[in-house]
Short mmCIF file of all heavy atoms in Angstrom, two decimals:
data_model
loop_
_atom_site.label_atom_id
_atom_site.label_comp_id
_atom_site.label_asym_id
_atom_site.label_seq_id
_atom_site.Cartn_x
_atom_site.Cartn_y
_atom_site.Cartn_z
N ASN A 99 118.88 25.94 53.36
CA ASN A 99 119.53 24.59 53.53
C ASN A 99 119.96 24.04 52.23
O ASN A 99 120.56 22.95 52.22
CB ASN A 99 118.56 23.66 54.22
CG ASN A 99 118.27 24.10 55.68
OD1 ASN A 99 119.15 24.77 56.28
ND2 ASN A 99 117.18 23.85 56.25
N ASP A 100 119.81 24.66 51.09
CA ASP A 100 120.19 24.16 49.76
C ASP A 100 121.45 24.83 49.41
O ASP A 100 121.42 25.87 48.74
CB ASP A 100 119.04 24.36 48.68
CG ASP A 100 119.38 23.62 47.40
OD1 ASP A 100 120.59 23.16 47.32
OD2 ASP A 100 118.48 23.48 46.60
N SER A 101 122.57 24.29 49.87
CA SER A 101 123.88 25.02 49.62
C SER A 101 124.27 25.20 48.21
O SER A 101 124.97 26.14 47.91
CB SER A 101 124.97 24.25 50.39
OG SER A 101 125.11 23.00 49.87
N GLU A 102 123.68 24.42 47.31
CA GLU A 102 124.08 24.47 45.92
C GLU A 102 123.17 25.50 45.18
O GLU A 102 123.46 25.85 44.04
CB GLU A 102 124.02 23.11 45.22
CG GLU A 102 125.23 22.28 45.75
CD GLU A 102 125.19 20.99 44.99
OE1 GLU A 102 124.40 20.67 44.13
OE2 GLU A 102 126.17 20.23 45.29
N GLN A 103 122.03 25.88 45.83
CA GLN A 103 121.06 26.75 45.11
C GLN A 103 120.84 28.06 45.88
O GLN A 103 120.10 28.94 45.31
CB GLN A 103 119.77 25.99 44.94
CG GLN A 103 119.80 24.86 44.07
CD GLN A 103 120.22 25.10 42.61
OE1 GLN A 103 119.79 26.21 42.06
NE2 GLN A 103 120.98 24.24 41.97
N VAL A 104 121.51 28.16 46.99
CA VAL A 104 121.21 29.46 47.77
C VAL A 104 121.69 30.65 46.87
O VAL A 104 122.55 30.49 46.09
CB VAL A 104 122.04 29.37 49.07
CG1 VAL A 104 123.46 29.57 48.95
CG2 VAL A 104 121.51 30.50 50.03
N CYS A 105 121.00 31.79 47.03
CA CYS A 105 121.21 32.92 46.31
C CYS A 105 122.67 33.36 46.11
O CYS A 105 123.50 33.26 47.20
CB CYS A 105 120.48 34.05 46.81
SG CYS A 105 120.57 35.65 46.01
N ALA A 106 123.04 33.85 44.97
CA ALA A 106 124.37 34.21 44.77
C ALA A 106 124.80 35.40 45.70
O ALA A 106 125.96 35.59 46.00
CB ALA A 106 124.64 34.63 43.29
N MET A 107 123.83 36.26 46.04
CA MET A 107 124.14 37.36 46.86
C MET A 107 124.70 36.91 48.23
O MET A 107 125.60 37.44 48.78
CB MET A 107 122.83 38.27 47.06
CG MET A 107 122.40 39.15 46.04
SD MET A 107 121.09 40.26 46.38
CE MET A 107 119.82 39.26 47.14
N ALA A 108 124.03 35.79 48.83
CA ALA A 108 124.47 35.28 50.06
C ALA A 108 125.72 34.39 49.92
O ALA A 108 126.62 34.51 50.65
CB ALA A 108 123.33 34.45 50.64
N SER A 109 125.78 33.63 48.97
CA SER A 109 126.89 32.56 48.79
C SER A 109 128.17 33.08 48.23
O SER A 109 129.18 32.66 48.56
CB SER A 109 126.37 31.32 48.01
OG SER A 109 126.01 31.75 46.70
N LEU A 110 128.01 33.99 47.26
CA LEU A 110 129.27 34.49 46.54
C LEU A 110 129.79 35.76 46.94
O LEU A 110 130.97 36.12 46.74
CB LEU A 110 128.95 34.45 44.94
CG LEU A 110 128.41 33.21 44.43
CD1 LEU A 110 128.18 33.31 42.93
CD2 LEU A 110 129.43 32.02 44.74
N THR A 111 129.00 36.60 47.67
CA THR A 111 129.45 37.89 48.11
C THR A 111 130.73 37.77 48.99
O THR A 111 131.65 38.59 48.74
CB THR A 111 128.34 38.69 48.89
OG1 THR A 111 127.32 39.02 47.87
CG2 THR A 111 128.78 39.87 49.63
N PRO A 112 130.80 36.93 49.88
CA PRO A 112 132.01 36.76 50.70
C PRO A 112 133.28 36.55 49.93
O PRO A 112 134.41 36.88 50.35
CB PRO A 112 131.74 35.72 51.64
CG PRO A 112 130.27 35.54 51.78
CD PRO A 112 129.76 36.03 50.42
N GLU A 113 133.11 35.92 48.73
CA GLU A 113 134.23 35.66 47.87
C GLU A 113 134.80 36.82 47.11
O GLU A 113 135.98 36.87 46.81
CB GLU A 113 133.89 34.49 46.85
CG GLU A 113 133.31 33.29 47.41
CD GLU A 113 134.31 32.46 48.19
OE1 GLU A 113 135.52 32.65 48.11
OE2 GLU A 113 133.95 31.61 49.00
N VAL A 114 133.95 37.73 46.80
CA VAL A 114 134.34 38.94 45.97
C VAL A 114 135.46 39.71 46.53
O VAL A 114 136.27 40.26 45.74
CB VAL A 114 133.03 39.72 45.66
CG1 VAL A 114 133.37 40.98 44.88
CG2 VAL A 114 131.96 39.02 44.92
N ILE A 115 135.45 39.85 47.86
CA ILE A 115 136.57 40.64 48.50
C ILE A 115 137.91 40.19 48.08
O ILE A 115 138.88 40.96 48.19
CB ILE A 115 136.28 40.59 50.06
CG1 ILE A 115 137.15 41.75 50.66
CG2 ILE A 115 136.68 39.36 50.60
CD1 ILE A 115 136.83 42.05 52.03
N HIS A 116 138.01 38.94 47.70
CA HIS A 116 139.39 38.36 47.38
C HIS A 116 139.79 38.61 45.88
O HIS A 116 140.88 38.25 45.51
CB HIS A 116 139.47 36.92 47.71
CG HIS A 116 139.03 36.51 49.05
ND1 HIS A 116 139.85 36.95 50.15
CD2 HIS A 116 137.94 35.98 49.65
CE1 HIS A 116 139.33 36.51 51.19
NE2 HIS A 116 138.15 35.91 50.92
N PHE A 117 138.98 39.30 45.22
CA PHE A 117 139.13 39.56 43.75
C PHE A 117 139.66 40.97 43.52
O PHE A 117 139.62 41.85 44.30
CB PHE A 117 137.95 39.22 42.88
CG PHE A 117 137.71 37.66 42.75
CD1 PHE A 117 137.00 36.95 43.71
CD2 PHE A 117 138.29 37.01 41.67
CE1 PHE A 117 136.90 35.64 43.49
CE2 PHE A 117 138.10 35.70 41.49
CZ PHE A 117 137.40 34.94 42.40
N ASP A 118 140.12 41.14 42.20
CA ASP A 118 140.61 42.38 41.86
C ASP A 118 139.51 43.50 41.73
O ASP A 118 138.38 43.27 41.81
CB ASP A 118 141.52 42.30 40.56
CG ASP A 118 140.55 41.86 39.30
OD1 ASP A 118 139.33 41.90 39.34
OD2 ASP A 118 141.21 41.47 38.38
N ALA A 119 139.90 44.67 41.43
CA ALA A 119 138.97 45.80 41.40
C ALA A 119 138.03 45.70 40.23
O ALA A 119 136.93 46.11 40.41
CB ALA A 119 139.76 47.08 41.15
N ASP A 120 138.36 44.96 39.16
CA ASP A 120 137.47 44.80 38.03
C ASP A 120 136.31 43.93 38.45
O ASP A 120 135.14 44.32 38.17
CB ASP A 120 138.15 44.23 36.80
CG ASP A 120 139.09 45.13 36.12
OD1 ASP A 120 139.04 46.33 36.34
OD2 ASP A 120 139.96 44.58 35.45
N MET A 121 136.55 42.81 39.17
CA MET A 121 135.42 41.98 39.61
C MET A 121 134.69 42.77 40.63
O MET A 121 133.44 42.63 40.66
CB MET A 121 136.03 40.76 40.25
CG MET A 121 135.00 39.77 40.74
SD MET A 121 134.31 38.66 39.40
CE MET A 121 135.64 37.72 39.03
N GLN A 122 135.31 43.46 41.55
CA GLN A 122 134.54 44.28 42.54
C GLN A 122 133.56 45.27 41.93
O GLN A 122 132.53 45.64 42.41
CB GLN A 122 135.45 44.88 43.53
CG GLN A 122 136.08 43.79 44.47
CD GLN A 122 137.17 44.24 45.30
OE1 GLN A 122 137.57 45.48 45.29
NE2 GLN A 122 137.71 43.39 46.22
N GLU A 123 134.07 45.85 40.83
CA GLU A 123 133.38 46.92 40.14
C GLU A 123 132.13 46.29 39.53
O GLU A 123 130.94 46.87 39.62
CB GLU A 123 134.17 47.62 39.10
CG GLU A 123 133.43 48.73 38.30
CD GLU A 123 134.32 49.44 37.38
OE1 GLU A 123 135.51 49.18 37.30
OE2 GLU A 123 133.73 50.20 36.58
N ILE A 124 132.24 45.13 38.94
CA ILE A 124 131.12 44.38 38.38
C ILE A 124 130.04 44.12 39.35
O ILE A 124 128.83 44.36 39.33
CB ILE A 124 131.57 43.18 37.58
CG1 ILE A 124 132.36 43.47 36.29
CG2 ILE A 124 130.36 42.23 37.22
CD1 ILE A 124 133.13 42.39 35.74
N TYR A 125 130.58 43.57 40.50
CA TYR A 125 129.70 43.23 41.66
C TYR A 125 129.01 44.38 42.17
O TYR A 125 127.80 44.42 42.36
CB TYR A 125 130.63 42.61 42.76
CG TYR A 125 129.83 42.47 44.07
CD1 TYR A 125 129.02 41.24 44.20
CD2 TYR A 125 129.93 43.28 45.04
CE1 TYR A 125 128.32 41.13 45.32
CE2 TYR A 125 129.28 43.14 46.20
CZ TYR A 125 128.42 41.96 46.40
OH TYR A 125 127.69 41.85 47.56
N GLU A 126 129.69 45.47 42.27
CA GLU A 126 129.11 46.79 42.83
C GLU A 126 127.95 47.27 41.91
O GLU A 126 126.88 47.59 42.34
CB GLU A 126 130.14 47.76 43.01
CG GLU A 126 129.61 49.09 43.62
CD GLU A 126 130.74 50.14 43.79
OE1 GLU A 126 131.94 49.74 43.93
OE2 GLU A 126 130.35 51.34 43.89
N GLU A 127 128.18 47.21 40.64
CA GLU A 127 127.20 47.57 39.68
C GLU A 127 125.88 46.80 39.77
O GLU A 127 124.77 47.24 39.76
CB GLU A 127 127.79 47.56 38.26
CG GLU A 127 128.75 48.74 37.92
CD GLU A 127 129.38 48.54 36.59
OE1 GLU A 127 128.97 47.62 35.84
OE2 GLU A 127 130.34 49.22 36.33
N LYS A 128 126.09 45.48 39.76
CA LYS A 128 125.05 44.60 39.90
C LYS A 128 124.18 44.74 41.24
O LYS A 128 122.97 44.73 41.21
CB LYS A 128 125.48 43.05 39.83
CG LYS A 128 126.14 42.74 38.50
CD LYS A 128 125.19 42.59 37.38
CE LYS A 128 125.72 42.22 36.04
NZ LYS A 128 124.89 42.20 34.97
N MET A 129 124.90 44.85 42.33
CA MET A 129 124.31 45.02 43.64
C MET A 129 123.55 46.45 43.67
O MET A 129 122.49 46.52 44.32
CB MET A 129 125.24 44.91 44.73
CG MET A 129 125.74 43.48 44.99
SD MET A 129 124.39 42.23 45.34
CE MET A 129 123.93 42.81 46.91
N GLN A 130 124.18 47.40 43.12
CA GLN A 130 123.42 48.67 43.09
C GLN A 130 122.12 48.54 42.28
O GLN A 130 121.14 49.15 42.56
CB GLN A 130 124.32 49.83 42.50
CG GLN A 130 125.41 50.22 43.40
CD GLN A 130 126.37 51.32 42.97
OE1 GLN A 130 126.46 51.45 41.71
NE2 GLN A 130 127.09 51.95 43.80
#
Side-chain angles (χ1 to χ4, degrees):
N99 295 331
D100 189 348
S101 62
E102 292 183 359
Q103 296 297 323
V104 72
C105 176
M107 290 187 304
S109 60
L110 302 180
T111 290
E113 305 290 345
V114 175
I115 196 169
H116 304 292
F117 283 88
D118 63 17
D120 291 340
M121 182 79 72
Q122 291 173 355
E123 183 178 351
I124 291 167
Y125 171 82
E126 183 176 338
E127 288 173 8
K128 297 287 183 184
M129 289 302 292
Q130 286 177 342

